[in-house]
């Protein structure tokens, strides 16, 4: 096969590269940032457009890396321009609620305190408030999948590791 040809999945048929690539699976991706305080509470944002709280982050756009997404979302949601820390979690999420399968990346934002939140202004109306919450409090504010992912991310931050997850459950 030449570099412009590939085998069709499950066959020996040779397809032009464009046709082969068009038939590959697509996965949605998202990226978020875990900020915590000295007591291990996590920073959660209260969105105006849905009932569940979130960590800073969002969907990866076309031709955008997950780390660029996390940086962009910090600027859009919080007006913060700060470097990301290391990757804490890679979580494979099965299809659910009419959403296709996906991969979620969580980066370390570091340790903050209440003074970092003083004077926050949410100009575009997307975010209503932000605050630190214990993992137990977070479980009452976020979706169960995110709560599980947060627990793994906190542990990964403490251990200096990167965790691989499936559906919010650590596999490695």
């Amino acid at each position: 096969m030449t570099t412009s040809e590939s085998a069709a999945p499950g066959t020996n048929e040779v397809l032009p590269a464009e046709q082969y690539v068009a038939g590959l699976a697509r996965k949605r991706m998202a990226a978020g940032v875990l900020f915590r305080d000295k007591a291990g509470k996590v920073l959660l944002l209260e969105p105006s457009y849905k009932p569940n709280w979130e960590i800073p982050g969002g969907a990866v756009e076309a031709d955008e890396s997950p780390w660029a997404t996390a940086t962009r979302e910090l600027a859009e949601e919080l007006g913060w321009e700060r470097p990301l820390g290391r990757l804490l979690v890679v979580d494979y999420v099965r299809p659910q609620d009419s959403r296709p399968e996906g991969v979620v990346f969580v980066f370390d934002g570091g340790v903050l305190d209440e003074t970092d939140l003083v004077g926050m202004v949410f100009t575009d109306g997307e975010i209503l408030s932000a605050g630190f919450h214990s993992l137990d409090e977070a479980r009452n504010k976020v979706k169960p999948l995110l709560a599980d992912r947060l627990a793994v991310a906190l542990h990964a931050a403490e251990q200096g590791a990167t965790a691989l997850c499936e559906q919010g459950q650590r596999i490695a």
Side-chain angles (χ1 to χ4, degrees):
M1 278 183 262
T2 68
T3 57
S4 65
E5 300 173 328
S6 301
T11 73
N12 290 329
E13 178 186 349
V14 177
L15 299 173
E18 300 81 22
Q19 189 176 354
Y20 172 75
V21 169
L24 292 175
R26 302 278 188 256
K27 291 182 181 14
R28 64 187 170 92
M29 290 192 299
V33 184
L34 174 74
F35 290 100
R36 58 207 181 280
D37 68 7
K38 290 178 185 171
K41 293 181 177 182
V42 297
L43 179 67
L44 296 179
L45 307 181
E46 179 186 15
S48 61
Y49 53 91
K50 61 183 175 179
N52 300 93
W53 292 49
E54 296 283 349
I55 60 173
V60 175
E61 295 179 355
D63 299 321
E64 183 179 50
S65 68
W67 41 94
T69 298
T71 301
R72 174 181 52 78
E73 290 287 347
L74 283 179
E76 289 176 5
E77 294 176 342
L78 301 175
W80 289 353
E81 303 227 357
R82 40 177 87 213
L84 296 177
R86 65 187 173 71
L87 180 63
L88 296 174
V89 174
V90 178
D91 189 7
Y92 170 75
V93 180
R94 293 186 292 273
Q96 60 187 1
D97 302 330
S98 74
R99 294 179 184 197
E101 66 181 342
V103 180
V104 179
F105 300 83
V106 179
F107 296 93
D108 193 349
V111 177
L112 304 175
D113 61 38
E114 288 293 333
T115 61
D116 291 300
L117 305 186
V118 172
M120 289 183 98
V121 177
F122 308 110
T123 57
D124 66 2
E126 179 181 345
I127 305 300
L128 299 174
S129 68
F132 291 105
H133 300 274
S134 70
L135 193 53
D136 285 340
E137 292 168 339
R139 286 193 183 280
N140 293 320
K141 294 183 176 291
V142 303
K143 288 187 173 184
L145 180 58
L146 178 55
D148 291 344
R149 191 178 299 130
L150 286 173
V152 172
L154 282 169
H155 183 73
E158 291 169 6
Q159 299 299 311
T162 299
L164 300 179
C165 294
E166 187 165 330
Q167 210 65 21
Q169 301 300 308
R170 186 182 183 113
I171 60 167

